[in-house]
Amino acid sequence: MGTNTGTRQAIIHRMVMPEHVCPYGIKSMDLLRREGFRVEDHWLRTRAETDAFMAEQQVETTPQTYIDGQRVGGYDELRRYFGRSVRSPNATNYQPVIAVFTIAALMAFAASWAAFGVAVTMRTVQWFISMSMCLLAMLKLQNIESFSTMFLNYDLLARRWVRYGYLYPFGEALAGVLMIAGALKWVSIPIALLIGSIGAVSVFKAVYVDKRELKCACVGGSSNVPLGFVSLTENLMMIGMGLWMLIE
């Protein structure tokens, strides 16, 4: 059990068992301490002890935090108590997309610096696009079943040939890797142009013609990114990269 110096006191009951330490209990402890509270930390050491506590307090989860004798609740309720945001699991979230493109850009700058001694070259742009393709494919491949299901909501070819939804991320990854290496262009260019063109037409039809509100499968099948600009950009980038390499 732990305490922390502060002007106000909070009491927390959280699971600390040999086989499980509640992560939200740790987060609650950290938040309270950062807010300057002295924390009276009560450990629930067994499942039976935890169940007895929840029954007594008429709550369904732990941890439970009490401030000034009043129950605040779990970690999300504690964040709200301190005026901090709590993201809804169903809320629109562009963070995965921002992370992919930011990391891809940094990797492209680093590769260009290592190869040419400068961060920005024409190859930097090509590497950014191809590395983005690889990262997006990796996210899709984390749960290909979930991706293919979401993909079927709008992709025109996948609706006619279901297996295409399973092949798509492998094709995107293969094209991206080959484009990074600048190898086997006769393989990478047709793949990029094919899946990029089909994807762009599918997204444009679903969003701008049919006016449907769907989730984008571009960062995997569990994302809360709306179908539209992001997915269209992904496909246009593949088309642009394919045409660029074809002209070269």
Side-chain angles (χ1 to χ4, degrees):
M1 299 187 182
T3 58
N4 188 42
T5 58
T7 57
R8 298 180 65 189
Q9 182 173 0
I11 300 172
I12 185 171
H13 295 260
R14 62 191 182 102
M15 287 190 292
V16 181
M17 304 177 186
E19 71 282 1
H20 175 68
V21 177
C22 177
Y24 292 105
I26 297 174
K27 285 186 173 185
S28 296
M29 287 286 296
D30 175 70
L31 180 56
L32 287 165
R33 286 169 171 166
R34 285 188 285 116
E35 292 289 339
F37 278 75
R38 287 187 297 112
V39 183
E40 185 178 315
D41 186 13
H42 293 268
W43 291 3
L44 303 170
R45 300 176 185 271
T46 65
R47 184 72 254 178
E49 190 176 342
T50 301
D51 291 341
F53 168 79
M54 291 192 296
E56 178 187 349
Q57 298 297 314
Q58 297 183 338
V59 295
E60 296 182 353
T61 61
T62 62
Q64 291 293 323
T65 299
Y66 299 79
I67 296 176
D68 296 334
Q70 299 295 319
R71 185 175 70 85
V72 175
Y75 178 64
D76 286 349
E77 288 77 19
L78 190 60
R79 286 188 61 86
R80 294 189 184 96
Y81 179 86
F82 291 125
R84 304 194 179 203
S85 62
V86 176
R87 177 176 292 166
S88 168
N90 297 318
T92 297
N93 182 16
Y94 286 98
Q95 185 173 324
V97 178
I98 295 171
V100 165
F101 289 132
T102 300
I103 295 299
L106 293 174
M107 291 170 64
F109 290 143
S112 181
W113 185 273
F116 308 115
V118 291
V120 180
T121 63
M122 294 300 291
R123 285 293 288 161
T124 306
V125 179
Q126 293 180 336
W127 280 331
F128 165 68
I129 296 174
S130 52
M131 288 175 179
S132 296
M133 291 167 60
C134 291
L135 292 174
L136 289 168
M138 179 190 69
L139 291 175
K140 296 177 178 73
L141 288 169
Q142 288 184 108
N143 189 336
I144 194 168
E145 195 67 42
S146 179
F147 161 76
S148 63
T149 300
M150 185 178 288
F151 197 53
L152 283 169
N153 283 321
Y154 58 89
D155 190 83
L156 298 176
L157 179 56
R159 286 185 163 190
R160 291 179 174 272
W161 182 40
V162 173
R163 300 308 301 173
Y164 176 66
Y166 294 90
L167 295 174
Y168 180 97
F170 290 100
E172 185 176 31
L174 176 61
V177 170
L178 292 177
M179 287 176 168
I180 292 172
L184 300 178
K185 295 182 179 180
W186 59 274
V187 174
S188 63
I189 292 174
I191 292 176
L193 290 176
L194 176 66
I195 65 178
S197 299
I198 295 172
V201 171
S202 298
V203 172
F204 187 84
K205 180 179 185 301
V207 176
Y208 301 104
V209 176
D210 298 338
K211 307 294 184 181
R212 300 173 64 200
E213 295 184 3
L214 300 169
K215 298 293 184 182
C216 176
C218 55
V219 290
S222 59
S223 71
N224 284 322
V225 179
L227 182 68
F229 175 75
V230 172
S231 188
L232 187 59
T233 299
E234 175 192 8
N235 289 293
L236 292 177
M237 284 171 54
M238 283 191 280
I239 295 171
M241 185 68 172
L243 292 175
W244 189 350
M245 295 186 71
L246 185 63
I247 293 171
E248 281 187 329

